[in-house]
Amino acid sequence: AQSVAQPEDQVNVAEGNPLTVKCTYSVSGNPYLFWYVQYPNRGLQFLLKYITGDNLVKGSYGFEAEFNKSQTSFHLKKPSALVSDSALYFCAVRDKRGNQFYFGTGTSLTVIP
Amino acid sequence: GAVVSQHPSRVICKSGTSVKIECRSLDFQATTMFWYRQFPKQSLMLMATSNEGSKATYEQGVEKDKFLINHASLTLSTLTVTSAHPEDSSFYICSASRPGFSYEQYFGPGTRLTVT
Protein backbone atom coordinates (compact mmCIF):
# COMPACT_ATOMS: atom_id res chain seq x y z
CA ALA A 1 0.00 0.00 0.00
CA GLN A 2 1.11 3.51 -0.72
CA SER A 3 1.68 5.77 2.24
CA VAL A 4 3.48 8.84 3.41
CA ALA A 5 4.64 9.56 6.93
CA GLN A 6 5.49 12.88 8.46
CA PRO A 7 6.69 11.89 11.90
CA GLU A 8 6.57 15.36 13.41
CA ASP A 9 3.28 17.15 13.96
CA GLN A 10 5.08 20.31 14.99
CA VAL A 11 8.49 21.77 14.28
CA ASN A 12 9.77 24.92 15.95
CA VAL A 13 12.86 26.70 14.76
CA ALA A 14 14.42 30.06 15.46
CA GLU A 15 14.50 32.61 12.69
CA GLY A 16 17.74 32.39 10.76
CA ASN A 17 18.41 28.79 11.73
CA PRO A 18 18.21 25.92 9.27
CA LEU A 19 14.99 23.96 9.20
CA THR A 20 14.14 20.39 8.31
CA VAL A 21 10.68 18.88 7.89
CA LYS A 22 10.81 15.11 7.61
CA CYS A 23 8.98 12.83 5.22
CA THR A 24 9.26 9.13 4.52
CA TYR A 25 7.25 7.19 2.00
CA SER A 26 6.22 3.73 1.02
CA VAL A 27 5.25 3.14 -2.59
CA SER A 28 5.74 0.42 -5.10
CA GLY A 29 8.26 1.29 -7.76
CA ASN A 30 9.85 4.67 -8.18
CA PRO A 31 7.77 7.51 -6.80
CA TYR A 32 6.92 11.02 -7.72
CA LEU A 33 7.41 13.12 -4.58
CA PHE A 34 6.04 16.53 -3.74
CA TRP A 35 6.04 19.15 -1.04
CA TYR A 36 3.21 21.61 -0.58
CA VAL A 37 2.68 24.46 1.86
CA GLN A 38 -0.66 25.58 3.21
CA TYR A 39 -1.43 28.85 4.92
CA PRO A 40 -4.56 29.18 7.09
CA ASN A 41 -7.79 28.83 5.15
CA ARG A 42 -5.93 28.56 1.87
CA GLY A 43 -5.35 25.81 -0.63
CA LEU A 44 -2.08 24.03 -1.17
CA GLN A 45 0.80 25.83 -2.79
CA PHE A 46 3.36 23.81 -4.69
CA LEU A 47 6.92 24.03 -3.34
CA LEU A 48 8.90 21.43 -5.22
CA LYS A 49 8.86 17.98 -6.73
CA TYR A 50 11.12 15.06 -7.47
CA ILE A 51 10.38 13.14 -10.62
CA THR A 52 13.76 11.87 -11.73
CA GLY A 53 17.35 12.99 -12.00
CA ASP A 54 19.35 14.83 -9.38
CA ASN A 55 18.41 13.74 -5.88
CA LEU A 56 18.64 17.30 -4.57
CA VAL A 57 15.68 19.31 -5.72
CA LYS A 58 15.43 23.07 -5.36
CA GLY A 59 12.05 24.73 -5.15
CA SER A 60 10.21 27.91 -4.33
CA TYR A 61 11.10 30.36 -1.54
CA GLY A 62 14.56 28.88 -0.99
CA PHE A 63 13.33 25.43 -0.04
CA GLU A 64 15.02 22.25 -1.17
CA ALA A 65 14.55 18.55 -0.60
CA GLU A 66 16.71 15.50 -0.98
CA PHE A 67 15.40 12.25 -2.37
CA ASN A 68 17.04 9.35 -0.55
CA LYS A 69 16.00 6.08 -2.11
CA SER A 70 17.74 3.81 0.39
CA GLN A 71 16.04 5.53 3.30
CA THR A 72 12.82 6.17 1.36
CA SER A 73 12.89 9.75 2.55
CA PHE A 74 12.28 13.15 1.06
CA HIS A 75 13.03 15.68 3.78
CA LEU A 76 12.33 19.34 3.18
CA LYS A 77 15.06 21.78 4.11
CA LYS A 78 15.89 25.45 4.13
CA PRO A 79 19.23 26.92 5.19
CA SER A 80 17.81 29.96 6.97
CA ALA A 81 14.22 30.06 8.23
CA LEU A 82 12.00 33.12 7.99
CA VAL A 83 9.05 33.97 10.21
CA SER A 84 6.93 33.99 7.07
CA ASP A 85 7.77 30.30 6.54
CA SER A 86 5.45 29.46 9.43
CA ALA A 87 2.73 27.31 7.90
CA LEU A 88 1.51 23.76 7.46
CA TYR A 89 3.65 21.58 5.22
CA PHE A 90 2.49 18.47 3.41
CA CYS A 91 4.54 15.79 1.77
CA ALA A 92 2.84 13.82 -0.99
CA VAL A 93 3.71 10.85 -3.12
CA ARG A 94 2.30 9.52 -6.33
CA ASP A 95 3.27 6.24 -7.83
CA LYS A 96 4.03 6.23 -11.52
CA ARG A 97 1.29 3.82 -12.41
CA GLY A 98 -1.63 5.56 -10.82
CA ASN A 99 -2.99 9.05 -10.69
CA GLN A 100 -3.70 9.36 -7.00
CA PHE A 101 -1.76 11.45 -4.54
CA TYR A 102 -1.14 10.23 -1.01
CA PHE A 103 -0.60 12.96 1.53
CA GLY A 104 1.18 12.90 4.82
CA THR A 105 -0.58 14.17 7.91
CA GLY A 106 1.17 17.49 7.72
CA THR A 107 3.77 19.25 9.84
CA SER A 108 3.10 22.61 11.40
CA LEU A 109 6.20 24.74 11.20
CA THR A 110 6.63 27.68 13.53
CA VAL A 111 9.55 30.02 13.05
CA ILE A 112 10.23 31.96 16.19
CA PRO A 113 11.48 35.55 15.80
CA GLY B 1 -0.04 28.80 -15.93
CA ALA B 2 -2.05 25.91 -14.48
CA VAL B 3 -4.38 27.94 -12.30
CA VAL B 4 -7.34 26.34 -10.57
CA SER B 5 -10.11 28.38 -9.03
CA GLN B 6 -12.89 27.47 -6.65
CA HIS B 7 -16.16 29.22 -6.02
CA PRO B 8 -17.33 30.15 -3.51
CA SER B 9 -14.41 30.56 -1.15
CA ARG B 10 -16.73 30.49 1.84
CA VAL B 11 -20.32 29.38 2.18
CA ILE B 12 -22.69 29.10 5.10
CA CYS B 13 -25.84 27.10 4.66
CA LYS B 14 -28.62 25.77 6.83
CA SER B 15 -28.92 22.15 7.76
CA GLY B 16 -30.94 20.22 5.20
CA THR B 17 -30.11 22.42 2.25
CA SER B 18 -27.77 21.65 -0.62
CA VAL B 19 -24.73 23.60 -1.66
CA LYS B 20 -22.70 23.50 -4.86
CA ILE B 21 -18.99 24.16 -5.09
CA GLU B 22 -17.36 24.85 -8.43
CA CYS B 23 -13.83 23.99 -9.45
CA ARG B 24 -12.43 25.46 -12.65
CA SER B 25 -9.16 25.09 -14.47
CA LEU B 26 -8.62 28.59 -15.85
CA ASP B 27 -5.85 28.16 -18.40
CA PHE B 28 -5.75 24.49 -19.22
CA GLN B 29 -8.02 21.57 -19.91
CA ALA B 30 -8.14 19.21 -17.00
CA THR B 31 -8.21 15.55 -17.86
CA THR B 32 -8.91 14.63 -14.28
CA MET B 33 -10.16 16.54 -11.28
CA PHE B 34 -9.96 15.50 -7.68
CA TRP B 35 -11.98 16.50 -4.65
CA TYR B 36 -10.48 16.49 -1.18
CA ARG B 37 -11.83 17.18 2.25
CA GLN B 38 -9.72 18.56 5.04
CA PHE B 39 -10.61 18.69 8.71
CA PRO B 40 -8.90 21.22 10.98
CA LYS B 41 -5.22 20.50 11.44
CA GLN B 42 -5.53 17.26 9.49
CA SER B 43 -4.38 16.04 6.15
CA LEU B 44 -6.29 16.01 2.91
CA MET B 45 -8.65 13.12 2.43
CA LEU B 46 -9.37 12.21 -1.18
CA MET B 47 -13.10 11.99 -1.68
CA ALA B 48 -13.39 11.25 -5.38
CA THR B 49 -11.72 11.39 -8.74
CA SER B 50 -13.61 12.59 -11.77
CA ASN B 51 -12.89 12.44 -15.47
CA GLU B 52 -14.74 14.61 -17.94
CA GLY B 53 -17.84 12.96 -19.28
CA SER B 54 -17.78 9.95 -17.01
CA LYS B 55 -18.96 9.08 -13.54
CA ALA B 56 -16.77 9.97 -10.63
CA THR B 57 -14.88 7.31 -8.73
CA TYR B 58 -15.50 7.64 -5.03
CA GLU B 59 -13.17 6.58 -2.27
CA GLN B 60 -14.31 4.03 0.22
CA GLY B 61 -16.57 5.49 2.84
CA VAL B 62 -17.62 8.52 0.79
CA GLU B 63 -21.35 8.60 0.07
CA LYS B 64 -21.82 9.24 -3.62
CA ASP B 65 -25.47 10.18 -3.17
CA LYS B 66 -24.53 12.82 -0.66
CA PHE B 67 -21.52 14.24 -2.45
CA LEU B 68 -22.58 14.59 -6.06
CA ILE B 69 -19.80 15.26 -8.51
CA ASN B 70 -20.35 16.43 -12.05
CA HIS B 71 -17.47 16.90 -14.45
CA ALA B 72 -19.38 18.30 -17.37
CA SER B 73 -16.50 19.89 -19.25
CA LEU B 74 -12.73 19.81 -19.39
CA THR B 75 -12.55 22.96 -17.31
CA LEU B 76 -15.32 22.56 -14.76
CA SER B 77 -16.16 20.11 -12.03
CA THR B 78 -18.79 20.66 -9.38
CA LEU B 79 -19.30 19.12 -5.97
CA THR B 80 -22.79 19.31 -4.53
CA VAL B 81 -23.27 18.52 -0.88
CA THR B 82 -26.87 17.39 -0.62
CA SER B 83 -28.97 17.69 2.51
CA ALA B 84 -26.04 19.16 4.36
CA HIS B 85 -25.57 18.57 8.07
CA PRO B 86 -23.24 20.26 10.55
CA GLU B 87 -20.83 17.33 10.36
CA ASP B 88 -20.33 18.16 6.66
CA SER B 89 -18.72 21.42 7.70
CA SER B 90 -15.20 21.26 6.41
CA PHE B 91 -12.65 22.69 4.02
CA TYR B 92 -13.10 21.28 0.53
CA ILE B 93 -10.23 21.47 -1.93
CA CYS B 94 -10.21 20.50 -5.57
CA SER B 95 -7.26 19.80 -7.80
CA ALA B 96 -6.76 19.10 -11.46
CA SER B 97 -4.27 17.37 -13.67
CA ARG B 98 -3.60 18.18 -17.30
CA PRO B 99 -2.50 16.25 -20.36
CA GLY B 100 1.23 15.70 -20.53
CA PHE B 101 1.66 16.61 -16.87
CA SER B 102 -0.33 13.85 -15.30
CA TYR B 103 2.19 13.43 -12.49
CA GLU B 104 1.24 16.83 -11.10
CA GLN B 105 -1.89 18.15 -9.52
CA TYR B 106 -2.79 21.81 -9.38
CA PHE B 107 -4.80 22.79 -6.34
CA GLY B 108 -7.60 25.25 -5.94
CA PRO B 109 -7.70 27.68 -3.01
CA GLY B 110 -10.35 25.71 -1.18
CA THR B 111 -13.91 26.32 -0.03
CA ARG B 112 -14.85 26.64 3.61
CA LEU B 113 -18.31 25.14 4.15
CA THR B 114 -20.15 25.82 7.38
CA VAL B 115 -23.49 24.13 7.98
CA THR B 116 -25.58 25.65 10.75
Side-chain angles (χ1 to χ4, degrees):
Chain A
Q2 333 290 12
S3 67
V4 178
Q6 292 181 243
E8 302 157 317
D9 292 335
Q10 175 80 39
V11 170
N12 297 325
V13 63
E15 185 177 22
N17 282 4
L19 69 87
T20 298
V21 183
K22 295 180 180 178
C23 172
T24 58
Y25 66 90
S26 173
V27 66
S28 54
N30 293 319
Y32 296 138
L33 295 159
F34 302 81
W35 274 102
Y36 291 88
V37 60
Q38 185 181 34
Y39 295 96
N41 293 310
R42 302 289 297 276
L44 273 64
Q45 295 180 32
F46 171 79
L47 278 179
L48 50 80
K49 67 179 183 285
Y50 172 82
I51 303 298
T52 187
D54 194 349
N55 289 344
L56 183 63
V57 178
K58 294 187 182 297
S60 306
Y61 312 119
F63 284 93
E64 59 187 29
E66 185 168 11
F67 171 58
N68 188 318
K69 189 172 183 178
S70 63
Q71 296 184 5
T72 62
S73 68
F74 191 56
H75 301 330
L76 180 70
K77 298 182 180 183
K78 186 173 182 179
S80 178
L82 301 173
V83 174
S84 57
D85 293 330
S86 299
L88 191 57
Y89 291 80
F90 289 100
C91 180
V93 64
R94 211 210 92 181
D95 66 56
K96 290 185 176 179
R97 296 174 299 174
N99 206 9
Q100 183 175 335
F101 272 44
Y102 299 89
F103 284 89
T105 50
T107 299
S108 179
L109 172 68
T110 300
V111 181
I112 303 165
Chain B
V3 179
V4 176
S5 70
Q6 279 184 244
H7 178 79
S9 57
R10 290 178 176 268
V11 58
I12 301 172
C13 69
K14 293 185 177 180
S15 186
T17 63
S18 296
V19 61
K20 180 185 287 187
I21 303 170
E22 292 186 349
C23 176
R24 292 182 184 272
S25 56
L26 298 184
D27 52 1
F28 67 98
Q29 293 185 328
T31 47
T32 307
M33 286 186 168
F34 306 84
W35 286 96
Y36 295 86
R37 184 174 179 177
Q38 185 182 28
F39 292 101
K41 297 185 179 181
Q42 293 190 28
S43 188
L44 280 70
M45 180 191 79
L46 180 65
M47 299 174 66
T49 303
S50 73
N51 294 293
E52 184 266 340
S54 62
K55 290 184 178 180
T57 302
Y58 289 81
E59 295 299 302
Q60 191 173 5
V62 178
E63 299 176 59
K64 61 181 180 181
D65 293 332
K66 180 167 185 63
F67 298 99
L68 301 178
I69 292 172
N70 186 315
H71 195 160
S73 77
L74 284 171
T75 59
L76 174 64
S77 176
T78 59
L79 168 68
T80 301
V81 182
T82 62
S83 186
H85 290 283
E87 57 265 31
D88 298 326
S89 299
S90 191
F91 195 54
Y92 293 88
I93 302 174
C94 75
S95 69
S97 61
R98 58 176 176 162
F101 298 86
S102 59
Y103 51 78
E104 290 202 40
Q105 289 189 19
Y106 305 95
F107 287 84
T111 296
R112 171 71 61 191
L113 170 64
T114 303
V115 185
T116 60

